Amino acid sequence: MKKNVVKRIVTLVLTAALISGCGQSGGGSGVTATDEMAEKDMVSEQQEETAGEEGTSSRLTEEEVTFTFGISENAALPISEDMPAWDEAARITGVRIQPVIIPSSEYTTKMSALYASDELPDFFYVNPQFVPLQEMVDDEALLDLTDLVEQYAPHIQSDFENIPDYARTKIDNKIYTLGIIRRDTNQQPGTVGMIRGDLLEKNNLPMPTTWEELRDTLATLHDLYPDMIPYAARGQNRLIGVDYLSVTRSIGADYNMYRDENNVWHLGRIEDRYRDFLSFMSGLYADGILDSEYLTKTLSNLQEECSAGKVMFFYENPTFVSDINKNLAVTDPDAYFTMVPLLENQYGETANYRARDHKFTMYGVSANCENPELLVKFLDWAYSEEGAINYGWGVEGDSFEYDENGEPQWTQKTLDKYVNADNAFYKLQSDYGLNTDIFAPSWLYTIYDPFLGDGWNQKAVYDFYKEQDDDFISVPVDPPFTIEQSERLTEIKQSITDYGNTTINQIIMGIEPIEKFDDMVEYFKQNGALEMEQIYNDAEKAYQETNG
């Protein structure tokens, strides 16, 4: 991110046409500044300092206009109407966001009520749990942004043209939702293995390179330390594959729908590889290696056990390790967890799902917004490099400044205030209104770096696995479905999931023999599993014909 873009923020002359805002009804949209001269005085000094050589301006409207924004609030990240990054955006563009703040635990319920009463905010976080996207489109509640994007939003248009799989979020080949787009390096490898490195050293054991070697290593350590849990896990999602970022793919199987190299979709749970996965896991469980309480264990339970020195190995989000190691060192200064290189599975593969580069379908615009042209122009600015800096770094000269290379860096004042604080980066985000959990259509990962702490932080994990980057697979993005397809998929998933997960866990725990897998697959097929594959592949074919 270079300063030459930001230098062109505003000019001495406000060249944008006066655009009236959304109407006064519907939650406060369309608020206009009452003191035009005061606003001009406020921005004039900055205009003189930052006017660019090209004579262009980021100002979109002469008088300030406000749009309401439905936002889910994380309890750890309080949101207010007085956040410097949002104020700065209003100063630069003339557009102010007024948050409609809803606690995350209530977002589905309250947004459903707003939807039912036709009082949606001007734009909002889209959560298909409160209303399916296709239903919102059919009800004409979501604005079709296609023409507006083509006319007013070159950054957004470019993203749809150049980012793989982004077009999969379209409905009937039209744009109804916008994603959060990462603008720098993806430093998230997903979930990976972590092992007690001190135990390997103490017992002259090499770092495992395959899943079979890991099993043997954990069995050896289990004999030496019988009171420890060799392989700890929290819940079924991160073990049996409900979550794409579970251990399942690394061992060689899939639980969910996945797309092969020929763009053909398969349901992993009905394939022989999943049987092999269950055989491996049931063997670990029978040998006392896999945590006997995995099904009821929470993340908090797992972190506490790891920090107390009770766990040898776990497969999880690697950013947990820094805090775990700090706590572990209190009771045993020599104890530490370290990363395990991606392990080769029984098929000779080394593979792992990673978090997607981008978070698609996050923002939607209400069809009731009375000035969608201005809102789309503002959103396009938010997707620009300038917008990314604003919502990633905050206010120049306050929270950040540019170094000699023209790159943004946190100011010393910011570092002094936040680096040593508890939940430092959460607090900074909340205070300034930064990053994706608040509002940042253009996502910058590097803003985290000074706040990650020592040891196995996200950057260190990224560097550790950099040589294996080709072995990480992005979580697949579904093709667009019709409303009929979506409804049928929901029915099928409901009919097979509870029975399937119960049976899967019973096989792992030895309550049912591995042969029960065949009965489960037959049940799946009788209850729509093959139809599910067909729906996915029909939707994929339609998508490829339109976008191929």
Side-chain angles (χ1 to χ4, degrees):
M1 299 291 176
K2 299 293 184 180
K3 190 174 181 179
N4 62 334
V5 175
V6 181
K7 285 182 177 179
R8 297 194 294 273
I9 291 175
V10 288
T11 62
L12 290 172
V13 180
L14 299 176
T15 58
L18 176 62
I19 306 175
S20 60
C22 292
Q24 296 291 334
S25 61
S29 57
V31 179
T32 303
T34 57
D35 193 344
E36 181 178 346
M37 290 304 297
E39 179 180 271
K40 289 183 177 181
D41 290 341
M42 178 181 68
V43 301
S44 61
E45 181 177 351
Q46 183 70 16
Q47 290 171 339
E48 292 174 4
E49 292 177 355
T50 61
E53 297 177 0
E54 299 178 15
T56 60
S57 171
S58 295
R59 191 81 179 176
L60 302 173
T61 171
E62 187 171 332
E63 293 187 356
E64 187 174 285
V65 174
T66 297
F67 292 97
T68 55
F69 174 42
I71 182 170
S72 174
E73 182 181 52
N74 183 329
L77 287 163
I79 298 167
S80 72
E81 295 190 14
D82 183 25
M83 296 180 291
W86 291 33
D87 291 340
E88 183 73 353
R91 184 193 66 76
I92 293 171
T93 68
V95 173
R96 181 170 294 278
I97 301 175
Q98 178 182 324
V100 178
I101 304 168
I102 304 172
S104 57
S105 61
E106 302 173 18
Y107 193 74
T108 296
T109 301
K110 292 196 173 183
M111 286 298 289
S112 296
L114 291 172
Y115 179 82
S117 61
D118 199 25
E119 295 180 353
L120 286 171
D122 292 318
F123 72 116
F124 49 91
Y125 277 111
V126 174
N127 181 348
Q129 291 180 353
F130 70 79
V131 179
L133 280 175
Q134 184 68 58
E135 183 177 332
M136 296 178 77
V137 171
D138 290 349
D139 287 348
E140 299 183 348
L142 274 181
L143 187 67
D144 177 0
L145 301 173
T146 311
D147 292 339
L148 293 170
V149 166
E150 183 176 356
Q151 187 171 359
Y152 299 116
H155 298 99
I156 297 173
Q157 181 74 18
S158 176
D159 286 341
F160 272 99
E161 292 172 352
N162 296 308
I163 293 176
D165 286 334
Y166 197 6
R168 290 176 179 271
T169 64
K170 293 182 179 180
I171 297 177
D172 297 330
N173 204 33
K174 296 178 180 179
I175 300 171
Y176 287 95
T177 59
L178 304 175
I180 293 176
I181 306 301
R182 188 195 301 274
R183 300 301 182 190
D184 55 5
T185 303
N186 184 351
Q187 294 181 357
Q188 294 185 312
T191 49
V192 293
M194 288 157 276
I195 197 167
R196 280 283 297 271
D198 61 302
L199 297 184
L200 296 181
E201 292 177 3
K202 189 179 298 184
N203 296 285
N204 296 314
L205 295 172
M207 177 67 72
T209 61
T210 70
W211 278 100
E212 290 294 334
E213 289 178 5
L214 175 68
R215 178 170 62 182
D216 293 342
T217 297
L218 294 179
T220 298
L221 291 174
H222 186 38
D223 289 338
L224 296 170
Y225 308 95
D227 294 333
M228 294 182 69
I229 302 169
Y231 182 158
R234 48 122 171 178
Q236 65 178 2
N237 287 12
R238 284 284 168 90
L239 189 75
I240 69 173
V242 178
D243 184 337
Y244 274 104
L245 299 182
S246 75
V247 69
T248 315
R249 184 62 188 90
S250 182
I251 297 177
D254 271 279
Y255 169 100
N256 290 297
M257 297 295 299
Y258 70 94
R259 191 170 85 246
D260 68 21
E261 63 277 6
N262 296 315
N263 285 324
V264 177
W265 287 88
H266 307 267
L267 178 59
R269 271 166 286 173
I270 66 174
E271 297 184 330
D272 288 343
R273 279 194 173 206
Y274 199 76
R275 171 197 273 267
D276 295 341
F277 164 77
L278 292 181
S279 293
F280 182 81
M281 280 297 172
S282 63
L284 294 184
Y285 192 93
D287 292 340
I289 295 173
L290 178 60
D291 188 354
S292 62
E293 299 180 358
Y294 79 86
L295 198 55
T296 58
K297 190 158 292 180
T298 66
L299 173 59
S300 178
N301 297 148
L302 176 64
Q303 290 174 309
E304 289 171 2
E305 290 178 341
C306 290
S307 297
K310 297 179 179 179
V311 172
M312 299 176 188
F313 172 87
F314 64 108
Y315 198 93
E316 263 294 347
N317 183 336
T319 57
F320 299 153
V321 179
S322 289
D323 286 340
I324 287 173
N325 278 347
K326 289 178 184 177
N327 296 327
L328 189 58
V330 173
T331 55
D332 185 351
D334 295 327
Y336 68 95
F337 279 96
T338 189
M339 299 295 114
V340 179
L342 295 188
L343 297 169
E344 181 181 304
N345 58 42
Q346 61 182 306
Y347 311 107
E349 301 168 344
T350 305
N352 203 70
Y353 278 124
R354 80 181 315 148
R356 293 173 182 150
D357 286 342
H358 314 289
K359 301 178 181 179
F360 294 149
T361 60
M362 295 296 286
Y363 306 114
V365 176
S366 169
N368 291 332
C369 180
E370 296 179 12
N371 193 344
E373 295 87 357
L374 179 59
L375 179 54
V376 168
K377 288 179 181 179
F378 169 74
L379 289 172
D380 192 64
W381 174 82
Y383 278 96
S384 72
E385 187 175 38
E386 187 179 335
I389 291 176
N390 183 80
Y391 290 115
W393 293 91
V395 182
E396 183 183 1
D398 182 8
S399 56
F400 83 97
E401 58 194 0
Y402 288 93
D403 63 18
E404 64 277 7
N405 298 316
E407 299 291 344
Q409 305 290 339
W410 298 111
T411 59
Q412 191 59 48
K413 180 187 78 170
T414 302
L415 295 174
D416 291 343
K417 182 176 181 180
Y418 292 104
V419 161
N420 295 318
D422 291 336
N423 298 316
F425 193 59
Y426 273 18
K427 183 168 177 53
L428 171 60
Q429 291 174 83
S430 182
D431 287 350
Y432 274 86
L434 305 177
N435 212 15
T436 56
D437 285 326
I438 298 181
F439 179 71
S442 283
W443 182 14
L444 300 174
Y445 193 87
T446 52
I447 57 178
Y448 286 84
D449 289 349
F451 301 93
L452 291 173
D454 297 326
W456 286 116
N457 58 45
Q458 195 76 282
K459 180 63 166 59
V461 174
Y462 169 75
D463 289 341
F464 181 83
Y465 287 107
K466 190 179 295 183
E467 291 184 0
Q468 293 184 273
D469 194 57
D470 291 342
D471 297 325
F472 286 95
I473 307 164
S474 292
V475 171
V477 182
D478 288 348
F481 301 113
T482 66
I483 190 166
E484 293 80 9
Q485 289 173 328
S486 295
E487 290 174 348
R488 182 58 183 145
L489 287 172
T490 298
E491 292 173 357
I492 295 171
K493 290 174 183 178
Q494 289 173 344
S495 68
I496 68 176
T497 298
D498 288 344
Y499 166 80
N501 289 354
T502 298
T503 304
I504 287 166
N505 287 302
Q506 288 176 334
I507 292 173
I508 290 174
M509 295 176 179
I511 299 171
E512 293 284 0
I514 189 62
E515 289 76 20
K516 188 68 174 178
F517 175 81
D518 299 325
D519 295 337
M520 181 183 74
V521 170
E522 185 59 30
Y523 178 90
F524 284 171
K525 291 179 178 179
Q526 290 178 2
N527 286 271
L530 298 181
E531 183 185 354
M532 179 186 291
E533 290 185 335
Q534 188 62 51
I535 290 172
Y536 266 77
N537 285 306
D538 288 345
E540 182 68 30
K541 180 180 179 182
Y543 170 77
Q544 293 295 337
E545 288 175 349
T546 304
N547 298 276

